[in-house]
């Protein structure tokens, strides 16, 4: 592994190093595995009449009239008009007055950029300019587009990656040759080069397949090893069934669904069993998984033991804690002394919580990663529950389970994964599915529209806010990125502040500090913020019953399972809720996929239909979320590779379970480093 700092590369000083650090790159190894998030394809130039609005087009242009230049040296606009019967296209460049001497009358260029309609005319702003010969060299090539942050350009990243590929010694391939041959996988150095700088679509497909297979293969091997270590472990916490859980169920203001009762029966049976519980409860958004977790915690406390519920965000931890406290108070069960432990818990309170967990007086604790810090000691932790499990890494998953004797483990997920894939991905867990929604839930009304619908959508959001409701607006990017045609949170927030006067609009994204994110979510949950513009960071179960509108920009850039997760943020209260999916392009395949969402609110149906539609041919498609934080692999798009990687892992472990053969020596080392990384990104 090449852990040399980035400053060893030409052109990278301390200032640029800090920019790379913002996107999580600190050394050459990390840079090499910072894969492009998209590719810019230089297609054949098209006649003006064939240009597609809201998309990037390359057009052939002979300059008939010299461009006009308005303004001064500091603020100027260069305008050039192209005309092809019956279409006129206005090309505009800002603050580039020197172009007047480049764009001479009679010369021919290829102009490339996004075409939009503004004030009734077609406009291409800031287009790239090529001579026909220069463009011909780029034709059909794929240029990498990386995730960026302010100050870090695509050119800086691609130049740095090119240097690493050129100067670093070839990587040793730890995938056994036998497996590479059987599954037709290319060699690792070829894959790394082609995934960053592909010769064409075919070379990229070959490289991507290798990297995806590798991600799944390592993940599954680590999972199988974990299973071997934990399977059949005796349940050292004898838990008996108690009447108290029945009383709590009877006292609820609503009836549990048949599916909830069935799954509760399975949890109760596991907790009473002789072997340790290891179960996944899958349930669509709003299906009522949390109440089952609370019942399991009550059953554990009634037996004199402790339970811990770990969730990914502080806001969600606080919501769960408040819900649990309300439930216990309503049932006169306050003696369990539930506590909330997060990163922002004050030092004095933290010490008190540590003491109560160590002496056993606190029977229930809800929190974030703070629950697994070394200082936290439990007296008799019998049950560990993790919510939205894919957000936690392999080490984080096992760390909580290592706090004393092996506890019972319950994993909850709202990610709708078809059963065949879930069996592979959660190989060490029994699976329960809550396949029914509470009767009182109003179905969400959906619509899939193009960008021309925006003004109407803004008016609709304004009316909902006037009625006292709130709205989410989701964008795929944090800020503008060269080469990527998609809405971004930063600019969109400013736009909405102008479009929605008198309405409090704020933004939220993953690059904010944790305290800042918590503050924004708290203000939104309390109703102080009326419209929240965000990336998909909101998809992790925060409950704001007053939010009734979810509008998703560039819906085509998200996987259907992810869009369904986002939709689950609304429809949580008594009011009718709405979801508006805005397509940024007019592609018919995109429209076909999004129509599935338009006609169904069933996450499992959506996931399986998405799987059928995508197949393995969707090379540059949208990534799902909640699909374990793989860098490149996508469990939906790459379902066929996932199954092959599972097959390969099974065969290898059957042949050499402890990696003792010489040809598996390097793989053994890689597996050790994979499992030893404290906060590994690839989670369960």
């Amino acid at each position: 592994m090449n852990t040399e700092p980035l400053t060893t590369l030409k052109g990278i000083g301390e200032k640029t190093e800090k920019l790379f650090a913002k996107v999580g790159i600190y050394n050459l190894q990390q840079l090499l595995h910072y894969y492009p998030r998209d590719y810019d394809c230089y297609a054949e130039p098209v006649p003006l009449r064939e240009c597609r609005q809201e998309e990037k087009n390359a057009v052939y242009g002979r300059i008939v009239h010299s461009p006009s230049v308005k303004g001064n040296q500091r603020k100027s606009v260069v305008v050039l008009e192209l005309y092809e019967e019956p279409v006129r296209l206005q090309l505009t460049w800002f603050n580039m007055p020197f172009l007047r001497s480049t764009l001479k009358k009679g010369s021919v260029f290829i102009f490339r950029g996004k075409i939009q309609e503004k004030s009734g005319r077609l406009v291409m702003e800031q287009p790239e300019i090529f001579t026909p010969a220069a463009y011909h060299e780029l034709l059909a090539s794929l240029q990498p587009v990386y995730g960026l942050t302010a100050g870090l350009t695509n050119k800086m990243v691609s130049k740095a990656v090119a240097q690493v590929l050129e100067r670093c010694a070839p990587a040793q391939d730890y995938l056994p040759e036998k497996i590479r041959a059987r599954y037709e996988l290319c060699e690792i150095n070829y894959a790394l080069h082609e995934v960053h700088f592909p010769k064409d679509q075919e070379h990229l497909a070959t490289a991507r397949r290798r990297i995806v297979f590798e991600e799944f293969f390592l993940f599954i091997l680590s999972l199988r090893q974990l299973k071997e270590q934990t399977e059949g472990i005796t349940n050292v916490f004898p838990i008996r069934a108690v009447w108290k859980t029945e009383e709590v169920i009877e006292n609820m203001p609503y009836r549990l669904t048949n599916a909830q009762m069935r799954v509760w029966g399975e949890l109760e049976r596991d907790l009473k069993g002789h072997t340790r519980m290891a179960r996944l409860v899958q349930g669509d958004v709003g299906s009522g998984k949390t109440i089952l977790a609370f019942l399991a915690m009550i059953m554990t406390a009634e037996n004199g033991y402790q339970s811990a519920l770990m969730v990914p965000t502080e806001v969600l931890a606080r919501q769960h804690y408040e819900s649990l406290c309300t439930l216990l108070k309503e049932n006169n069960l306050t003696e369990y002394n539930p506590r909330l432990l997060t990163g922002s818990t004050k030092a004095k309170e933290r010490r008190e919580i540590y003491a109560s967990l160590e002496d056993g007086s606190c029977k229930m604790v809800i929190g974030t990663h703070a629950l697994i810090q070394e200082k936290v000691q439990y007296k008799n932790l019998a049950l560990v529950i993790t919510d939205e499990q894919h957000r936690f890494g392999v080490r984080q998953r096992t760390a909580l389970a290592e706090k004393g004797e092996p506890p019972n483990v319950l994993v909850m997920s709202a990610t709708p994964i078809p059963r065949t894939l879930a069996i592979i991905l959660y190989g060490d867990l029994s699976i329960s599915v809550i396949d029914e929604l509470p009767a009182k839930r109003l179905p969400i009304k959906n619509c899939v529209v193009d960008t021309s619908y925006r003004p109407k959508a803004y008016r609709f959001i304004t009316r909902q806010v006037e009625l006292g409701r709130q709205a989410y607006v989701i964008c795929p990017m944090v800020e503008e990125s060269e080469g990527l045609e998609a809405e971004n949170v930063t600019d969109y927030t400013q736009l909405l502040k102008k479009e929605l006067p008198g309405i409090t609009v704020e933004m939220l994204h993953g690059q904010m500090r944790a305290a800042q994110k918590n503050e924004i979510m708290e203000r939104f949950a309390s109703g102080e913020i009326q419209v929240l513009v965000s990336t998909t960071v909101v998809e992790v179960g925060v409950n704001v019953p007053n939010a009734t509108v979810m509008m998703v920009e560039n819906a085509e850039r998200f996987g259907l399972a992810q869009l369904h997760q986002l939709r689950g943020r609304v429809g949580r209260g008594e009011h009718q809720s709405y979801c508006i999916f805005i397509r940024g392009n007019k592609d018919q395949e995109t429209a076909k996929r999004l129509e599935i969402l338009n006609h169904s609110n069933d996450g499992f149906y959506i996931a399986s239909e998405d799987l059928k539609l995508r197949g393995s041919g969707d090379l540059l498609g949208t990534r799902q979320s909640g699909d374990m934080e793989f860098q490149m692999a996508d469990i939906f798009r790459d379902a066929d590779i996932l199954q092959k990687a599972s097959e390969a892992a099974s065969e290898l472990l059957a042949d050499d379970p402890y990696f003792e053969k010489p040809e598996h020596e390097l793989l053994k080392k890689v597996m050790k480093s994979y499992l030893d990384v404290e906060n590994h990104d690839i989670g369960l």
Side-chain angles (χ1 to χ4, degrees):
M1 277 187 151
N2 197 329
T3 53
E4 285 181 52
L6 297 178
T7 46
T8 57
L9 295 176
K10 191 179 171 185
I12 296 185
E14 278 184 37
K15 192 178 170 187
T16 310
E17 186 183 34
K18 283 177 184 168
L19 292 174
F20 275 101
K22 281 189 179 179
V23 292
I25 302 171
Y26 299 92
N27 59 46
L28 303 191
Q29 178 73 10
Q30 289 170 332
L31 178 60
L32 199 54
H33 293 279
Y34 191 64
Y35 305 128
R37 62 181 293 174
D38 209 335
Y39 296 87
D40 201 358
C41 182
Y42 284 76
E44 285 277 2
V46 293
L48 291 187
R49 65 180 175 280
E50 289 177 24
C51 284
R52 295 169 78 160
Q53 283 185 46
E54 300 296 330
E55 288 182 32
K56 197 169 266 188
N57 296 266
V59 297
Y60 177 91
R62 181 177 293 280
I63 299 175
V64 179
H65 300 290
S66 297
S68 63
V69 182
K70 297 167 187 170
N72 53 38
Q73 283 295 108
R74 288 186 63 201
K75 270 194 170 185
S76 66
V77 182
V78 177
V79 178
L80 176 69
E81 195 164 87
L82 299 183
Y83 179 66
E84 266 179 36
E85 179 71 38
V87 183
R88 286 183 188 277
L89 175 65
Q90 181 181 295
L91 308 178
T92 310
W93 293 268
F94 300 100
N95 303 321
M96 298 173 79
F98 56 85
L99 286 178
R100 182 168 41 187
S101 56
T102 306
L103 303 171
K104 291 176 181 169
K105 188 177 174 182
S107 54
V108 175
F109 292 99
I110 306 291
F111 300 101
R112 185 171 181 268
K114 184 177 179 179
I115 291 184
Q116 294 173 299
E117 189 174 335
K118 290 191 173 181
S119 307
R121 62 171 64 187
L122 291 180
V123 178
M124 186 188 279
E125 291 182 348
Q126 298 296 108
E128 299 171 273
I129 306 168
F130 302 90
T131 63
Y135 192 81
H136 186 74
E137 281 183 27
L138 286 170
L139 205 56
S141 70
L142 293 167
Q143 301 301 313
V145 177
Y146 296 93
L148 304 171
T149 187
L152 187 68
T153 67
N154 208 59
K155 198 172 182 182
M156 286 158 78
V157 181
S158 57
K159 276 177 79 173
V161 171
Q163 276 191 72
V164 177
L165 287 167
E166 204 173 291
R167 59 172 271 191
C168 285
Q172 283 184 279
D173 205 327
Y174 61 82
L175 265 192
E177 209 171 309
K178 195 169 149 190
I179 287 176
R180 289 213 317 271
R182 175 160 182 191
Y183 294 98
E184 298 176 338
L185 301 169
C186 66
E187 186 267 341
I188 186 61
N189 292 288
Y190 172 90
L192 287 171
H193 187 278
E194 289 299 318
V195 87
H196 285 288
F197 303 109
K199 189 178 174 185
D200 53 34
Q201 291 272 7
E202 199 178 323
H203 283 69
L204 174 59
T206 303
R208 188 183 176 280
R209 181 180 168 79
R210 157 65 205 241
I211 291 168
V212 167
F213 185 98
E214 181 180 303
E215 287 188 355
F216 284 145
F217 184 67
L218 280 181
F219 177 84
I220 293 162
L221 280 179
S222 65
L223 191 63
R224 301 281 166 84
Q225 287 192 314
L226 189 63
K227 183 176 183 177
E228 194 177 303
Q229 292 162 18
T230 57
E231 200 169 38
I233 291 176
T234 304
N235 184 359
V236 295
F237 301 100
I239 293 177
R240 67 187 195 287
V242 294
W243 280 110
K244 190 54 73 177
T245 52
E246 304 304 313
E247 289 171 17
V248 171
I249 291 169
E250 285 297 316
N251 285 344
M252 281 180 194
Y254 54 86
R255 282 173 59 86
L256 292 187
T257 63
N258 292 335
Q260 282 175 306
M261 289 304 294
R262 184 187 70 245
V263 173
W264 169 239
E266 290 165 354
L267 296 181
E268 210 174 23
R269 189 177 65 240
D270 281 0
L271 288 168
K272 291 188 298 180
H274 295 298
T275 55
R276 188 191 73 130
M277 173 168 86
R279 183 169 291 276
L280 164 72
V281 172
Q282 262 189 311
D284 213 342
V285 174
S287 61
K289 296 179 295 298
T290 310
I291 188 62
L292 300 187
F294 290 168
L295 288 170
M297 292 172 85
I298 290 168
M299 183 173 169
T300 304
E302 282 288 295
N303 278 270
Y305 301 124
Q306 293 171 307
S307 57
L309 168 57
M310 185 162 76
V311 298
T313 67
E314 289 197 15
V315 178
L316 186 55
R318 189 166 288 107
Q319 285 191 340
H320 278 340
Y321 174 70
E322 286 166 3
S323 300
L324 177 64
C325 289
T326 302
L327 181 72
L328 297 179
K329 195 175 176 185
E330 287 168 353
N331 288 276
N332 301 313
L333 297 173
T334 48
E335 73 274 13
Y336 298 155
N337 188 23
R339 302 304 297 260
L340 173 69
L341 181 61
T342 68
S344 60
T345 303
K346 298 283 189 291
K348 186 186 175 201
E349 190 185 353
R350 187 181 291 266
R351 285 194 295 273
E352 287 171 9
I353 294 171
Y354 287 167
S356 64
L357 287 171
E358 200 165 355
D359 67 22
S361 59
C362 168
K363 293 282 186 285
M364 300 172 170
V365 63
I366 292 179
T368 54
H369 295 102
L371 296 181
I372 57 175
Q373 287 172 348
E374 280 181 29
K375 288 181 182 175
V376 186
Q377 298 298 324
Y378 296 84
K379 185 180 181 185
N380 51 16
L381 182 62
L383 173 64
V384 168
I385 304 168
T386 51
D387 193 7
E388 290 303 338
Q389 174 70 8
H390 57 270
R391 300 277 164 181
F392 300 108
V394 172
R395 288 293 303 140
Q396 292 161 342
R397 171 171 176 177
T398 53
L400 195 48
E402 287 164 1
K403 296 281 184 182
E405 294 287 350
N408 294 290
V409 173
L410 170 60
V411 173
M412 300 196 298
S413 177
T415 306
I417 304 171
R419 193 172 182 85
T420 49
L421 302 188
I423 288 166
I424 297 171
L425 293 163
Y426 296 101
D428 59 333
L429 303 173
S430 305
I431 299 174
S432 294
V433 178
I434 305 177
D435 50 8
E436 191 180 349
L437 285 178
K440 64 184 178 66
R441 284 277 165 110
L442 285 171
I444 294 166
K445 292 184 177 178
N446 308 292
C447 67
V448 178
V449 293
D450 62 28
T451 51
S452 66
Y453 188 87
R454 276 192 196 123
K456 196 173 177 182
Y458 298 157
R459 289 195 296 274
F460 182 73
I461 289 171
T462 302
R463 282 201 303 277
Q464 286 290 301
V465 170
E466 285 167 354
L467 290 169
R469 317 281 177 261
Q470 291 162 276
Y472 294 95
V473 177
I474 306 299
C475 298
M477 289 159 52
V478 174
E479 52 202 12
E480 194 173 1
S481 176
E482 51 178 298
L484 266 188
E485 296 301 329
E487 297 301 333
N488 70 85
V489 167
T490 312
D491 293 339
Y492 210 99
T493 304
Q494 296 312 311
L495 169 78
L496 282 190
K497 283 182 175 181
K498 288 177 191 163
E499 293 283 343
L500 309 176
I503 290 174
T504 308
V505 181
E506 293 293 349
M507 68 177 174
L508 177 75
H509 57 75
Q511 290 176 19
M512 289 175 162
R513 293 190 311 278
Q516 200 179 358
K517 282 191 280 192
N518 279 325
E519 187 218 339
I520 293 285
M521 273 318 303
E522 293 284 5
R523 286 174 59 209
F524 187 63
S526 70
E528 188 186 328
I529 294 170
Q530 294 158 312
V531 176
L532 185 64
V533 183
S534 174
T535 55
T536 56
V537 71
V538 300
E539 76 189 310
V540 182
V542 177
N543 191 21
V544 183
N546 194 46
T548 56
V549 182
M550 167 62 69
M551 183 168 113
V552 184
E553 284 284 355
N554 295 105
E556 74 283 356
R557 298 195 71 84
F558 302 96
L560 292 193
Q562 184 170 25
L563 290 171
H564 178 66
Q565 290 275 90
L566 289 166
R567 175 165 62 184
R569 294 304 102 225
V570 295
R572 294 174 158 259
E574 57 183 332
H575 307 292
Q576 178 63 57
S577 288
Y578 309 86
C579 201
I580 305 164
F581 300 108
I582 296 187
R583 289 192 285 130
N585 67 34
K586 293 184 166 62
D587 182 66
Q588 287 310 303
E589 281 303 305
T590 300
K592 191 177 171 187
R593 278 184 56 244
L594 293 175
E595 277 305 308
I596 294 170
L597 285 170
N598 212 359
H599 298 298
S600 175
N601 287 319
D602 178 344
F604 288 92
Y605 167 79
I606 287 163
S608 59
E609 285 300 301
D610 197 14
L611 200 55
K612 282 183 212 166
L613 261 186
R614 288 160 167 280
S616 56
D618 183 9
L619 178 65
L620 302 177
T622 46
R623 276 183 52 78
Q624 301 286 358
S625 107
D627 53 354
M628 328 302 181
E629 302 296 322
F630 295 118
Q631 283 178 282
M632 185 164 278
D634 180 303
I635 60 173
F636 289 85
R637 190 193 334 160
D638 303 313
D640 61 326
I641 305 177
L642 172 62
Q643 292 183 335
K644 286 182 170 65
S646 174
E647 190 183 289
S650 300
E651 285 171 11
L652 186 139
L653 290 171
D655 177 50
D656 185 15
Y658 303 108
F659 308 105
E660 290 169 335
K661 291 188 175 181
E663 62 266 35
H664 298 153
E665 195 178 326
L666 192 56
L667 178 60
K668 188 175 185 176
K669 283 182 188 169
V670 170
M671 282 299 300
K672 188 176 185 315
S673 67
Y674 181 92
L675 287 167
D676 281 349
V677 177
E678 187 63 36
N679 291 312
H680 203 288
D681 279 341
I682 299 174
L684 294 182

